[in-house]
Amino acid sequence: MSKTTVSQLQKMKQEGTKFATITAYDATFARLFDEAGIPVILIGDSLGMVMQGHSDTLPVTIDEMAYHTRCVRRGTQNALVVADMSFMSYSDPATACRNAATLMAAGASMVKIEGGEWLCETVKQLQRNGVPVCGHLGLTPQSVHVFGGFRVQGRDMEQAEEIYRSALALQAAGIQLLVLECVPSALAERITKALRIPVIGIGAGNSTDGQILVMHDAFGVTSGYTPKFTKNFLAESGDIRAAVRLYQQQVADGSFPGPEQTFN
Ligand code: KIV
């Protein structure tokens, strides 16, 4: 196995080969996912919820992101390591560059930021400074209070157009990957077809180039509310490595996400 590069993911998009990606927060799970051939591992700020027990991702700090990035990096050989920038850590381009430097020094190979066209200048500055960027549109959890809850985005025409325009603008600004979260599948399909960069969906239907899941959701160990778009792969397989294989297979053959995990 070789190290995942963005060009490899791009080639998979061109060939129509769908790929499964997942979050990790520690070295042990990162190693397990890496050995299974998962091409992208995200240190999501979802760690605020699944590791720290908060009700949203807002309390997570850049130093906590850096700590978990160091842990994941130690367990990863081949996967592309993408780290989330925490809430308010990229509120302007200079702040973004300073905080991205902390995550890159901790072992990230790319950072992810949530938001639309307003981030274009930040993306350009990060790129100029040698920091590859992944965008994140749709339900961007750091804006949960603006949305009034964890709600599907892009259901009305105006919102859908804004997300579509933002995707094109961010690509033009230089993002190399895009995460689309909780949007209707038709919108995700339109964006995936319009972009040349790989699009990774979560709650966005099965037309995106790749999928991502929070690892706790994929293994059915998230306590409390379980989002509609997730699936417990451990329940069907009984073993964590087999669950990861099942997730990879079902993404590759297009059976995950199915209609029951999709917003229309
Ligand atoms: O924080 C996270 O885990 C994420 C994924 C849900 C995409 O951003």
Side-chain angles (χ1 to χ4, degrees):
M1 242 183 290
S2 62
K3 279 199 185 300
T4 305
T5 60
V6 172
S7 355
Q8 275 166 5
L9 299 173
Q10 190 103 43
K11 190 158 173 272
M12 289 169 93
K13 175 180 179 111
Q14 283 154 7
E15 291 168 350
T17 307
K18 294 192 183 292
F19 53 90
T21 73
I22 197 159
T23 66
Y25 315 97
D26 66 31
T28 302
F29 276 104
R31 185 169 296 115
L32 191 149
F33 299 146
D34 193 64
E35 286 172 357
I38 294 275
V40 178
I41 295 178
L42 171 72
I43 303 102
D45 62 352
S46 51
L47 70 85
M49 299 168 84
V50 296
M51 305 290 292
Q52 299 176 335
H54 296 296
S55 56
D56 56 45
T57 59
L58 276 58
V60 178
T61 66
I62 201 73
D63 289 338
E64 287 164 349
M65 289 308 306
Y67 168 80
H68 288 277
T69 301
R70 280 194 293 277
C71 296
V72 166
R73 169 49 72 197
R74 281 183 214 117
T76 308
Q77 285 209 338
N78 296 316
L80 186 75
V81 173
V82 182
D84 263 345
M85 296 201 64
S86 51
F87 179 60
M88 293 301 282
S89 70
Y90 51 99
S91 52
D92 60 72
T95 306
C97 287
R98 203 174 51 250
N99 287 317
T102 303
L103 296 185
M104 298 297 279
S109 298
M110 183 179 284
V111 300
K112 177 162 79 59
I113 54 182
E114 300 181 5
E117 283 185 88
W118 67 275
L119 282 173
C120 285
E121 195 44 46
T122 299
V123 171
K124 285 182 193 162
Q125 289 282 354
L126 287 167
Q127 287 270 116
R128 275 184 211 127
N129 283 281
V131 181
V133 185
C134 173
H136 186 157
L137 290 170
L139 169 52
T140 44
Q142 291 172 11
S143 301
V144 61
H145 297 301
V146 176
F147 298 144
F150 293 101
R151 296 175 202 284
V152 178
Q153 299 296 304
R155 275 203 153 131
D156 67 64
M157 211 53 162
E158 200 180 321
Q159 235 182 35
E161 282 311 307
E162 192 185 324
I163 295 171
Y164 180 78
R165 261 202 327 274
S166 290
L168 290 177
L170 288 168
Q171 174 178 262
I175 59 165
Q176 301 191 4
L177 291 177
L178 175 67
V179 168
L180 264 187
E181 179 165 354
C182 286
V183 296
S185 57
L187 174 62
E189 184 172 359
R190 184 172 165 227
I191 293 173
T192 304
K193 282 186 177 151
L195 296 193
R196 70 180 178 315
I197 59 167
V199 177
I200 302 176
I202 173 164
N206 67 2
S207 300
T208 53
D209 305 305
Q211 298 290 332
I212 187 154
L213 281 178
V214 169
M215 56 165 276
H216 294 64
D217 290 342
F219 301 141
V221 295
T222 311
S223 57
Y225 170 73
T226 309
K228 168 186 162 87
F229 55 79
T230 68
K231 179 167 171 179
N232 178 354
F233 289 91
L234 191 54
E236 274 180 53
S237 49
D239 166 79
I240 287 185
R241 286 182 176 80
V244 175
R245 275 198 301 279
L246 187 62
Y247 170 45
Q248 290 172 298
Q249 273 159 21
Q250 294 194 358
V251 169
D253 69 20
S255 57
F256 177 81
E260 65 279 28
Q261 288 105 15
T262 298
F263 303 106
N264 292 310

